[in-house]
Amino acid sequence: MKRLLPTLRADQTSESLVSVINTIQIAAKEISFRLHQGALAGVLGSSLDENIQGETQKKLDIVSNQLLKTLLLESPNVHAVASEEEDSIVESPNSGHYLVAFDPLDGSSNIDINGGVGTIFSILRKPEGEQTSENMFLQPGKAQIAAGYVLYGPSTMLVMTTGKAVRIYTLDQTVGEFLLTHEKAEIPRDTKEFAINMSNRRHWADPIQAYISDLLDGEEGPRGKNFNMRWNAAMVSDVHRVMSRGGLFTYPWDARKPEKPFKLRLLYEVAPMSMLVEKAGGKATDGYNRLMDIVPEHIHQRVPVIMGSANEVDMCMEYHKQHPKPY
Ligand code: AFP
């Protein structure tokens, strides 16, 4: 079975980019090892720290963030990193050509229940001339050079693209290598499965209210077919299911907290996942516009998300055309 780095080189990926991806996979293997040790590693439970997003971090968030940050900043090819767990970007003393944005441990509330969690990463080219400040990260998703996630589930999987096919690698624990297990992920255009946190239903705006209501009406409703629902509460797990067998994943606008109407972060979660979904034949939108076209206003920006099977995403967008925009 083919190993990760030779498959990248076979695609003529530049050695500098191969080296950055290599650094990420080294960190991911370490995170995977610690997660699989679970309570044995003494990493479970909340720490007292609060991150910039105002959420309580789990200890392993801190460990994962530290690992990725330290290893990437040591790389001669990385100029700066932006992490969901850091207030600001962190620059390297090296003058590399790449910027890396990451969510070190997405879905961290699943750690204590031994559920799926993941690392998401996005690699951008450093803009010419721009030497400092977070402005260099404010590039749309379509500018990404590479994107991927690592799902720490029953097995650890790396799902990534350098702009060509989306490949899936599985960590062989016996040799400590990511081996190519799926040459080309393809999301079916049609689906009968959706993923949303239904407990927020009363807070959604009209387009999503109407869309989900029609899905729930099943065969008796206007869609004329029954839909199944799944929610892992970790974007990596939920999008991986979509990547594996199709589906629609959404975290829409909601009115719970007027100061925080969107949940998912553009730079660390949404842009890389959108690139993967699109490269696998799916679609990713905020209901009105392609997510990959959005230029971030700041590094911690959040956006509404609808992604997955192309025909179902198109259908959901139709509901957005028919109802007033909530924001
Ligand atoms: P954490 O990484 O803070 O646990 O958040 C995970 C997440 O941002 C995303 O991965 C999930 O889709 C979403 O939160 C789950 O949100 P709910 O708490 O509404 O289920």
PDB file of all heavy atoms in Angstrom, residues 51 55-56 61 84-85 103 105-110 120 197 199-200 231-236 238 249 251 256 263-265 269 302, ligand 1:
ATOM      1  N   ASN A  51     -10.201  29.946  25.818  1.00  0.00           N
ATOM      2  CA  ASN A  51      -9.569  30.417  24.591  1.00  0.00           C
ATOM      3  C   ASN A  51     -10.254  31.673  24.091  1.00  0.00           C
ATOM      4  O   ASN A  51     -11.219  32.155  24.677  1.00  0.00           O
ATOM      5  CB  ASN A  51      -9.526  29.326  23.523  1.00  0.00           C
ATOM      6  CG  ASN A  51     -10.902  28.978  23.006  1.00  0.00           C
ATOM      7  OD1 ASN A  51     -11.890  29.560  23.404  1.00  0.00           O
ATOM      8  ND2 ASN A  51     -10.940  28.014  22.115  1.00  0.00           N
ATOM      9  N   GLU A  55     -14.681  29.705  24.891  1.00  0.00           N
ATOM     10  CA  GLU A  55     -15.122  28.360  25.215  1.00  0.00           C
ATOM     11  C   GLU A  55     -14.087  27.711  26.130  1.00  0.00           C
ATOM     12  O   GLU A  55     -12.914  28.001  26.031  1.00  0.00           O
ATOM     13  CB  GLU A  55     -15.238  27.527  23.929  1.00  0.00           C
ATOM     14  CG  GLU A  55     -16.284  28.076  22.984  1.00  0.00           C
ATOM     15  CD  GLU A  55     -15.972  27.776  21.527  1.00  0.00           C
ATOM     16  OE1 GLU A  55     -14.879  27.252  21.249  1.00  0.00           O
ATOM     17  OE2 GLU A  55     -16.836  28.090  20.695  1.00  0.00           O
ATOM     18  N   THR A  56     -14.547  26.824  26.984  1.00  0.00           N
ATOM     19  CA  THR A  56     -13.596  26.141  27.850  1.00  0.00           C
ATOM     20  C   THR A  56     -12.812  25.135  27.023  1.00  0.00           C
ATOM     21  O   THR A  56     -13.381  24.335  26.319  1.00  0.00           O
ATOM     22  CB  THR A  56     -14.344  25.403  28.976  1.00  0.00           C
ATOM     23  OG1 THR A  56     -15.167  26.344  29.625  1.00  0.00           O
ATOM     24  CG2 THR A  56     -13.384  24.781  29.953  1.00  0.00           C
ATOM     25  N   ASP A  61      -6.852  19.924  23.839  1.00  0.00           N
ATOM     26  CA  ASP A  61      -6.836  21.049  22.890  1.00  0.00           C
ATOM     27  C   ASP A  61      -5.519  21.790  23.008  1.00  0.00           C
ATOM     28  O   ASP A  61      -4.889  22.170  22.025  1.00  0.00           O
ATOM     29  CB  ASP A  61      -7.911  22.092  23.229  1.00  0.00           C
ATOM     30  CG  ASP A  61      -9.298  21.616  22.932  1.00  0.00           C
ATOM     31  OD1 ASP A  61      -9.449  20.427  22.675  1.00  0.00           O
ATOM     32  OD2 ASP A  61     -10.205  22.457  22.969  1.00  0.00           O
ATOM     33  N   GLU A  84      -7.230  28.224  15.854  1.00  0.00           N
ATOM     34  CA  GLU A  84      -8.481  28.545  16.523  1.00  0.00           C
ATOM     35  C   GLU A  84      -8.252  28.796  18.014  1.00  0.00           C
ATOM     36  O   GLU A  84      -9.021  29.505  18.662  1.00  0.00           O
ATOM     37  CB  GLU A  84      -9.445  27.369  16.325  1.00  0.00           C
ATOM     38  CG  GLU A  84     -10.855  27.643  16.755  1.00  0.00           C
ATOM     39  CD  GLU A  84     -11.520  26.393  17.271  1.00  0.00           C
ATOM     40  OE1 GLU A  84     -11.550  25.404  16.534  1.00  0.00           O
ATOM     41  OE2 GLU A  84     -11.998  26.421  18.410  1.00  0.00           O
ATOM     42  N   GLU A  85      -7.189  28.224  18.554  1.00  0.00           N
ATOM     43  CA  GLU A  85      -6.922  28.352  19.984  1.00  0.00           C
ATOM     44  C   GLU A  85      -5.992  29.514  20.338  1.00  0.00           C
ATOM     45  O   GLU A  85      -5.604  29.652  21.492  1.00  0.00           O
ATOM     46  CB  GLU A  85      -6.312  27.045  20.518  1.00  0.00           C
ATOM     47  CG  GLU A  85      -7.150  25.811  20.265  1.00  0.00           C
ATOM     48  CD  GLU A  85      -8.467  25.820  21.037  1.00  0.00           C
ATOM     49  OE1 GLU A  85      -8.646  26.670  21.927  1.00  0.00           O
ATOM     50  OE2 GLU A  85      -9.327  24.981  20.717  1.00  0.00           O
ATOM     51  N   ASP A 103      -7.461  24.069  13.145  1.00  0.00           N
ATOM     52  CA  ASP A 103      -8.236  23.806  14.362  1.00  0.00           C
ATOM     53  C   ASP A 103      -7.605  22.541  14.934  1.00  0.00           C
ATOM     54  O   ASP A 103      -7.778  21.449  14.383  1.00  0.00           O
ATOM     55  CB  ASP A 103      -9.716  23.585  14.006  1.00  0.00           C
ATOM     56  CG  ASP A 103     -10.556  23.318  15.253  1.00  0.00           C
ATOM     57  OD1 ASP A 103      -9.974  23.122  16.334  1.00  0.00           O
ATOM     58  OD2 ASP A 103     -11.796  23.298  15.135  1.00  0.00           O
ATOM     59  N   LEU A 105      -8.040  20.615  17.559  1.00  0.00           N
ATOM     60  CA  LEU A 105      -8.889  19.500  18.013  1.00  0.00           C
ATOM     61  C   LEU A 105     -10.353  19.910  17.939  1.00  0.00           C
ATOM     62  O   LEU A 105     -10.927  20.411  18.906  1.00  0.00           O
ATOM     63  CB  LEU A 105      -8.493  19.073  19.431  1.00  0.00           C
ATOM     64  CG  LEU A 105      -8.730  17.608  19.721  1.00  0.00           C
ATOM     65  CD1 LEU A 105      -8.033  16.688  18.725  1.00  0.00           C
ATOM     66  CD2 LEU A 105      -8.299  17.268  21.112  1.00  0.00           C
ATOM     67  N   ASP A 106     -10.912  19.669  16.775  1.00  0.00           N
ATOM     68  CA  ASP A 106     -12.311  20.014  16.540  1.00  0.00           C
ATOM     69  C   ASP A 106     -13.221  18.983  17.217  1.00  0.00           C
ATOM     70  O   ASP A 106     -12.931  17.797  17.192  1.00  0.00           O
ATOM     71  CB  ASP A 106     -12.551  20.012  15.027  1.00  0.00           C
ATOM     72  CG  ASP A 106     -13.998  20.205  14.687  1.00  0.00           C
ATOM     73  OD1 ASP A 106     -14.499  21.320  14.902  1.00  0.00           O
ATOM     74  OD2 ASP A 106     -14.638  19.248  14.228  1.00  0.00           O
ATOM     75  N   GLY A 107     -14.306  19.492  17.818  1.00  0.00           N
ATOM     76  CA  GLY A 107     -15.267  18.584  18.469  1.00  0.00           C
ATOM     77  C   GLY A 107     -14.780  18.129  19.830  1.00  0.00           C
ATOM     78  O   GLY A 107     -15.105  17.034  20.285  1.00  0.00           O
ATOM     79  N   SER A 108     -14.014  18.981  20.492  1.00  0.00           N
ATOM     80  CA  SER A 108     -13.312  18.534  21.700  1.00  0.00           C
ATOM     81  C   SER A 108     -14.259  18.112  22.835  1.00  0.00           C
ATOM     82  O   SER A 108     -13.846  17.383  23.727  1.00  0.00           O
ATOM     83  CB  SER A 108     -12.351  19.613  22.181  1.00  0.00           C
ATOM     84  OG  SER A 108     -13.033  20.831  22.292  1.00  0.00           O
ATOM     85  N   SER A 109     -15.520  18.530  22.769  1.00  0.00           N
ATOM     86  CA  SER A 109     -16.446  18.075  23.826  1.00  0.00           C
ATOM     87  C   SER A 109     -16.686  16.564  23.717  1.00  0.00           C
ATOM     88  O   SER A 109     -17.196  15.942  24.648  1.00  0.00           O
ATOM     89  CB  SER A 109     -17.772  18.840  23.749  1.00  0.00           C
ATOM     90  OG  SER A 109     -18.365  18.627  22.495  1.00  0.00           O
ATOM     91  N   ASN A 110     -16.301  15.978  22.584  1.00  0.00           N
ATOM     92  CA  ASN A 110     -16.441  14.526  22.426  1.00  0.00           C
ATOM     93  C   ASN A 110     -15.331  13.737  23.121  1.00  0.00           C
ATOM     94  O   ASN A 110     -15.428  12.512  23.232  1.00  0.00           O
ATOM     95  CB  ASN A 110     -16.430  14.146  20.932  1.00  0.00           C
ATOM     96  CG  ASN A 110     -17.790  14.339  20.289  1.00  0.00           C
ATOM     97  OD1 ASN A 110     -18.761  14.674  20.962  1.00  0.00           O
ATOM     98  ND2 ASN A 110     -17.864  14.134  18.989  1.00  0.00           N
ATOM     99  N   ILE A 120      -8.201  19.927  11.783  1.00  0.00           N
ATOM    100  CA  ILE A 120      -8.468  20.450  10.433  1.00  0.00           C
ATOM    101  C   ILE A 120      -7.348  21.428  10.080  1.00  0.00           C
ATOM    102  O   ILE A 120      -6.948  22.234  10.924  1.00  0.00           O
ATOM    103  CB  ILE A 120      -9.824  21.196  10.374  1.00  0.00           C
ATOM    104  CG1 ILE A 120     -10.943  20.350  10.997  1.00  0.00           C
ATOM    105  CG2 ILE A 120     -10.184  21.554   8.931  1.00  0.00           C
ATOM    106  CD1 ILE A 120     -12.278  21.075  11.100  1.00  0.00           C
ATOM    107  N   ASN A 197     -27.899  20.303  14.228  1.00  0.00           N
ATOM    108  CA  ASN A 197     -28.238  20.230  15.649  1.00  0.00           C
ATOM    109  C   ASN A 197     -29.701  20.654  15.802  1.00  0.00           C
ATOM    110  O   ASN A 197     -30.015  21.838  15.850  1.00  0.00           O
ATOM    111  CB  ASN A 197     -27.317  21.121  16.476  1.00  0.00           C
ATOM    112  CG  ASN A 197     -27.596  20.982  17.965  1.00  0.00           C
ATOM    113  OD1 ASN A 197     -28.652  20.508  18.375  1.00  0.00           O
ATOM    114  ND2 ASN A 197     -26.638  21.405  18.782  1.00  0.00           N
ATOM    115  N   SER A 199     -31.692  20.665  18.160  1.00  0.00           N
ATOM    116  CA  SER A 199     -32.133  21.356  19.386  1.00  0.00           C
ATOM    117  C   SER A 199     -32.197  22.870  19.195  1.00  0.00           C
ATOM    118  O   SER A 199     -32.800  23.564  19.997  1.00  0.00           O
ATOM    119  CB  SER A 199     -31.206  21.004  20.553  1.00  0.00           C
ATOM    120  OG  SER A 199     -29.935  21.573  20.341  1.00  0.00           O
ATOM    121  N   ASN A 200     -31.592  23.360  18.120  1.00  0.00           N
ATOM    122  CA  ASN A 200     -31.637  24.812  17.856  1.00  0.00           C
ATOM    123  C   ASN A 200     -32.807  25.201  16.962  1.00  0.00           C
ATOM    124  O   ASN A 200     -32.914  26.360  16.556  1.00  0.00           O
ATOM    125  CB  ASN A 200     -30.336  25.266  17.174  1.00  0.00           C
ATOM    126  CG  ASN A 200     -29.137  25.044  18.065  1.00  0.00           C
ATOM    127  OD1 ASN A 200     -29.241  25.163  19.285  1.00  0.00           O
ATOM    128  ND2 ASN A 200     -28.005  24.703  17.468  1.00  0.00           N
ATOM    129  N   TRP A 231     -25.999  13.290  13.879  1.00  0.00           N
ATOM    130  CA  TRP A 231     -25.278  14.447  14.423  1.00  0.00           C
ATOM    131  C   TRP A 231     -24.241  13.959  15.422  1.00  0.00           C
ATOM    132  O   TRP A 231     -24.586  13.439  16.480  1.00  0.00           O
ATOM    133  CB  TRP A 231     -26.260  15.432  15.103  1.00  0.00           C
ATOM    134  CG  TRP A 231     -25.611  16.714  15.537  1.00  0.00           C
ATOM    135  CD1 TRP A 231     -25.403  17.138  16.824  1.00  0.00           C
ATOM    136  CD2 TRP A 231     -25.085  17.754  14.701  1.00  0.00           C
ATOM    137  NE1 TRP A 231     -24.790  18.364  16.827  1.00  0.00           N
ATOM    138  CE2 TRP A 231     -24.578  18.769  15.542  1.00  0.00           C
ATOM    139  CE3 TRP A 231     -24.988  17.922  13.313  1.00  0.00           C
ATOM    140  CZ2 TRP A 231     -23.991  19.933  15.038  1.00  0.00           C
ATOM    141  CZ3 TRP A 231     -24.407  19.081  12.830  1.00  0.00           C
ATOM    142  CH2 TRP A 231     -23.923  20.063  13.687  1.00  0.00           C
ATOM    143  N   ASN A 232     -22.957  14.129  15.062  1.00  0.00           N
ATOM    144  CA  ASN A 232     -21.873  13.697  15.954  1.00  0.00           C
ATOM    145  C   ASN A 232     -21.348  14.833  16.824  1.00  0.00           C
ATOM    146  O   ASN A 232     -20.529  14.593  17.700  1.00  0.00           O
ATOM    147  CB  ASN A 232     -20.696  13.147  15.147  1.00  0.00           C
ATOM    148  CG  ASN A 232     -20.986  11.783  14.586  1.00  0.00           C
ATOM    149  OD1 ASN A 232     -21.750  11.015  15.167  1.00  0.00           O
ATOM    150  ND2 ASN A 232     -20.404  11.469  13.447  1.00  0.00           N
ATOM    151  N   ALA A 233     -21.754  16.081  16.522  1.00  0.00           N
ATOM    152  CA  ALA A 233     -21.283  17.257  17.263  1.00  0.00           C
ATOM    153  C   ALA A 233     -19.776  17.464  17.110  1.00  0.00           C
ATOM    154  O   ALA A 233     -19.131  18.063  17.977  1.00  0.00           O
ATOM    155  CB  ALA A 233     -21.677  17.202  18.736  1.00  0.00           C
ATOM    156  N   ALA A 234     -19.218  16.960  16.043  1.00  0.00           N
ATOM    157  CA  ALA A 234     -17.833  17.261  15.670  1.00  0.00           C
ATOM    158  C   ALA A 234     -17.854  17.361  14.149  1.00  0.00           C
ATOM    159  O   ALA A 234     -18.175  16.391  13.462  1.00  0.00           O
ATOM    160  CB  ALA A 234     -16.882  16.165  16.110  1.00  0.00           C
ATOM    161  N   MET A 235     -17.513  18.540  13.638  1.00  0.00           N
ATOM    162  CA  MET A 235     -17.619  18.754  12.200  1.00  0.00           C
ATOM    163  C   MET A 235     -16.815  17.709  11.412  1.00  0.00           C
ATOM    164  O   MET A 235     -17.237  17.248  10.367  1.00  0.00           O
ATOM    165  CB  MET A 235     -17.146  20.168  11.856  1.00  0.00           C
ATOM    166  CG  MET A 235     -17.432  20.544  10.426  1.00  0.00           C
ATOM    167  SD  MET A 235     -16.721  22.143  10.033  1.00  0.00           S
ATOM    168  CE  MET A 235     -17.493  22.470   8.446  1.00  0.00           C
ATOM    169  N   VAL A 236     -15.651  17.346  11.945  1.00  0.00           N
ATOM    170  CA  VAL A 236     -14.811  16.380  11.229  1.00  0.00           C
ATOM    171  C   VAL A 236     -15.560  15.051  11.050  1.00  0.00           C
ATOM    172  O   VAL A 236     -15.604  14.490   9.956  1.00  0.00           O
ATOM    173  CB  VAL A 236     -13.470  16.158  11.965  1.00  0.00           C
ATOM    174  CG1 VAL A 236     -12.680  15.034  11.312  1.00  0.00           C
ATOM    175  CG2 VAL A 236     -12.634  17.418  11.950  1.00  0.00           C
ATOM    176  N   ASP A 238     -18.848  14.550  11.232  1.00  0.00           N
ATOM    177  CA  ASP A 238     -20.056  14.725  10.424  1.00  0.00           C
ATOM    178  C   ASP A 238     -19.714  14.901   8.946  1.00  0.00           C
ATOM    179  O   ASP A 238     -20.395  14.352   8.082  1.00  0.00           O
ATOM    180  CB  ASP A 238     -20.883  15.911  10.956  1.00  0.00           C
ATOM    181  CG  ASP A 238     -21.653  15.536  12.222  1.00  0.00           C
ATOM    182  OD1 ASP A 238     -22.304  14.477  12.225  1.00  0.00           O
ATOM    183  OD2 ASP A 238     -21.595  16.293  13.207  1.00  0.00           O
ATOM    184  N   PHE A 249     -24.616  18.528   5.429  1.00  0.00           N
ATOM    185  CA  PHE A 249     -24.217  18.993   6.761  1.00  0.00           C
ATOM    186  C   PHE A 249     -24.487  20.480   6.831  1.00  0.00           C
ATOM    187  O   PHE A 249     -24.102  21.226   5.919  1.00  0.00           O
ATOM    188  CB  PHE A 249     -22.721  18.723   6.982  1.00  0.00           C
ATOM    189  CG  PHE A 249     -22.174  19.422   8.207  1.00  0.00           C
ATOM    190  CD1 PHE A 249     -22.255  18.821   9.455  1.00  0.00           C
ATOM    191  CD2 PHE A 249     -21.612  20.689   8.113  1.00  0.00           C
ATOM    192  CE1 PHE A 249     -21.774  19.474  10.584  1.00  0.00           C
ATOM    193  CE2 PHE A 249     -21.128  21.344   9.239  1.00  0.00           C
ATOM    194  CZ  PHE A 249     -21.211  20.734  10.480  1.00  0.00           C
ATOM    195  N   TYR A 251     -24.606  24.014   9.618  1.00  0.00           N
ATOM    196  CA  TYR A 251     -24.701  24.755  10.875  1.00  0.00           C
ATOM    197  C   TYR A 251     -25.126  26.160  10.460  1.00  0.00           C
ATOM    198  O   TYR A 251     -24.319  26.996  10.082  1.00  0.00           O
ATOM    199  CB  TYR A 251     -23.393  24.762  11.674  1.00  0.00           C
ATOM    200  CG  TYR A 251     -23.712  24.785  13.164  1.00  0.00           C
ATOM    201  CD1 TYR A 251     -23.371  23.735  13.995  1.00  0.00           C
ATOM    202  CD2 TYR A 251     -24.422  25.840  13.719  1.00  0.00           C
ATOM    203  CE1 TYR A 251     -23.714  23.719  15.342  1.00  0.00           C
ATOM    204  CE2 TYR A 251     -24.778  25.841  15.067  1.00  0.00           C
ATOM    205  CZ  TYR A 251     -24.426  24.773  15.866  1.00  0.00           C
ATOM    206  OH  TYR A 251     -24.790  24.768  17.177  1.00  0.00           O
ATOM    207  N   ARG A 256     -29.935  32.391  18.791  1.00  0.00           N
ATOM    208  CA  ARG A 256     -29.721  32.154  20.232  1.00  0.00           C
ATOM    209  C   ARG A 256     -28.994  33.301  20.886  1.00  0.00           C
ATOM    210  O   ARG A 256     -29.407  33.822  21.915  1.00  0.00           O
ATOM    211  CB  ARG A 256     -28.877  30.885  20.430  1.00  0.00           C
ATOM    212  CG  ARG A 256     -29.653  29.622  20.571  1.00  0.00           C
ATOM    213  CD  ARG A 256     -28.718  28.439  20.654  1.00  0.00           C
ATOM    214  NE  ARG A 256     -27.884  28.307  19.460  1.00  0.00           N
ATOM    215  CZ  ARG A 256     -26.822  27.523  19.372  1.00  0.00           C
ATOM    216  NH1 ARG A 256     -26.424  26.832  20.408  1.00  0.00           N
ATOM    217  NH2 ARG A 256     -26.130  27.432  18.247  1.00  0.00           N
ATOM    218  N   LYS A 263     -21.748  29.600  14.136  1.00  0.00           N
ATOM    219  CA  LYS A 263     -20.904  28.774  15.023  1.00  0.00           C
ATOM    220  C   LYS A 263     -19.518  28.489  14.433  1.00  0.00           C
ATOM    221  O   LYS A 263     -18.508  28.505  15.128  1.00  0.00           O
ATOM    222  CB  LYS A 263     -21.636  27.445  15.270  1.00  0.00           C
ATOM    223  CG  LYS A 263     -20.837  26.382  15.969  1.00  0.00           C
ATOM    224  CD  LYS A 263     -21.120  26.321  17.432  1.00  0.00           C
ATOM    225  CE  LYS A 263     -20.303  25.219  18.110  1.00  0.00           C
ATOM    226  NZ  LYS A 263     -20.586  25.085  19.516  1.00  0.00           N
ATOM    227  N   LEU A 264     -19.470  28.174  13.145  1.00  0.00           N
ATOM    228  CA  LEU A 264     -18.228  27.605  12.608  1.00  0.00           C
ATOM    229  C   LEU A 264     -17.289  28.669  12.038  1.00  0.00           C
ATOM    230  O   LEU A 264     -17.732  29.653  11.440  1.00  0.00           O
ATOM    231  CB  LEU A 264     -18.561  26.539  11.570  1.00  0.00           C
ATOM    232  CG  LEU A 264     -19.408  25.383  12.119  1.00  0.00           C
ATOM    233  CD1 LEU A 264     -19.778  24.394  11.017  1.00  0.00           C
ATOM    234  CD2 LEU A 264     -18.698  24.667  13.262  1.00  0.00           C
ATOM    235  N   ARG A 265     -16.008  28.434  12.222  1.00  0.00           N
ATOM    236  CA  ARG A 265     -14.995  29.438  11.852  1.00  0.00           C
ATOM    237  C   ARG A 265     -14.559  29.236  10.408  1.00  0.00           C
ATOM    238  O   ARG A 265     -14.189  28.139   9.999  1.00  0.00           O
ATOM    239  CB  ARG A 265     -13.763  29.327  12.753  1.00  0.00           C
ATOM    240  CG  ARG A 265     -13.984  29.548  14.217  1.00  0.00           C
ATOM    241  CD  ARG A 265     -14.437  28.289  14.834  1.00  0.00           C
ATOM    242  NE  ARG A 265     -14.424  28.330  16.298  1.00  0.00           N
ATOM    243  CZ  ARG A 265     -14.976  27.382  17.039  1.00  0.00           C
ATOM    244  NH1 ARG A 265     -15.590  26.358  16.479  1.00  0.00           N
ATOM    245  NH2 ARG A 265     -14.900  27.439  18.346  1.00  0.00           N
ATOM    246  N   GLU A 269     -12.092  25.936   9.923  1.00  0.00           N
ATOM    247  CA  GLU A 269     -12.993  24.801   9.710  1.00  0.00           C
ATOM    248  C   GLU A 269     -13.652  24.845   8.331  1.00  0.00           C
ATOM    249  O   GLU A 269     -13.605  23.882   7.571  1.00  0.00           O
ATOM    250  CB  GLU A 269     -14.098  24.805  10.785  1.00  0.00           C
ATOM    251  CG  GLU A 269     -13.581  24.599  12.204  1.00  0.00           C
ATOM    252  CD  GLU A 269     -14.604  24.911  13.287  1.00  0.00           C
ATOM    253  OE1 GLU A 269     -15.339  25.912  13.167  1.00  0.00           O
ATOM    254  OE2 GLU A 269     -14.671  24.158  14.266  1.00  0.00           O
ATOM    255  N   ARG A 302     -16.759  33.845  11.814  1.00  0.00           N
ATOM    256  CA  ARG A 302     -17.641  32.671  11.724  1.00  0.00           C
ATOM    257  C   ARG A 302     -18.664  32.898  10.624  1.00  0.00           C
ATOM    258  O   ARG A 302     -19.057  34.045  10.377  1.00  0.00           O
ATOM    259  CB  ARG A 302     -18.382  32.459  13.050  1.00  0.00           C
ATOM    260  CG  ARG A 302     -17.468  32.152  14.227  1.00  0.00           C
ATOM    261  CD  ARG A 302     -18.273  32.210  15.519  1.00  0.00           C
ATOM    262  NE  ARG A 302     -17.429  32.173  16.699  1.00  0.00           N
ATOM    263  CZ  ARG A 302     -17.228  31.107  17.455  1.00  0.00           C
ATOM    264  NH1 ARG A 302     -17.807  29.959  17.146  1.00  0.00           N
ATOM    265  NH2 ARG A 302     -16.456  31.161  18.514  1.00  0.00           N
TER     266      ARG A 302
HETATM  267  P1  AFP B   1     -15.617  22.328  19.691  1.00  0.00           P
HETATM  268  O1  AFP B   1     -14.374  22.039  18.921  1.00  0.00           O
HETATM  269  O2  AFP B   1     -15.534  23.571  20.503  1.00  0.00           O
HETATM  270  O3  AFP B   1     -16.092  21.150  20.486  1.00  0.00           O
HETATM  271  O4  AFP B   1     -16.775  22.652  18.631  1.00  0.00           O
HETATM  272  C1  AFP B   1     -17.076  21.762  17.628  1.00  0.00           C
HETATM  273  C2  AFP B   1     -17.964  22.431  16.648  1.00  0.00           C
HETATM  274  O5  AFP B   1     -17.485  23.689  16.349  1.00  0.00           O
HETATM  275  C3  AFP B   1     -18.143  21.623  15.360  1.00  0.00           C
HETATM  276  O6  AFP B   1     -17.153  20.705  15.146  1.00  0.00           O
HETATM  277  C4  AFP B   1     -19.502  20.978  15.512  1.00  0.00           C
HETATM  278  O7  AFP B   1     -20.134  20.830  14.275  1.00  0.00           O
HETATM  279  C5  AFP B   1     -20.226  21.918  16.403  1.00  0.00           C
HETATM  280  O8  AFP B   1     -19.251  22.571  17.189  1.00  0.00           O
HETATM  281  C6  AFP B   1     -21.177  21.211  17.308  1.00  0.00           C
HETATM  282  O9  AFP B   1     -21.974  22.161  17.904  1.00  0.00           O
HETATM  283  P2  AFP B   1     -23.159  21.839  18.913  1.00  0.00           P
HETATM  284  O10 AFP B   1     -22.596  22.065  20.273  1.00  0.00           O
HETATM  285  O11 AFP B   1     -24.211  22.822  18.563  1.00  0.00           O
HETATM  286  O12 AFP B   1     -23.621  20.431  18.695  1.00  0.00           O
END
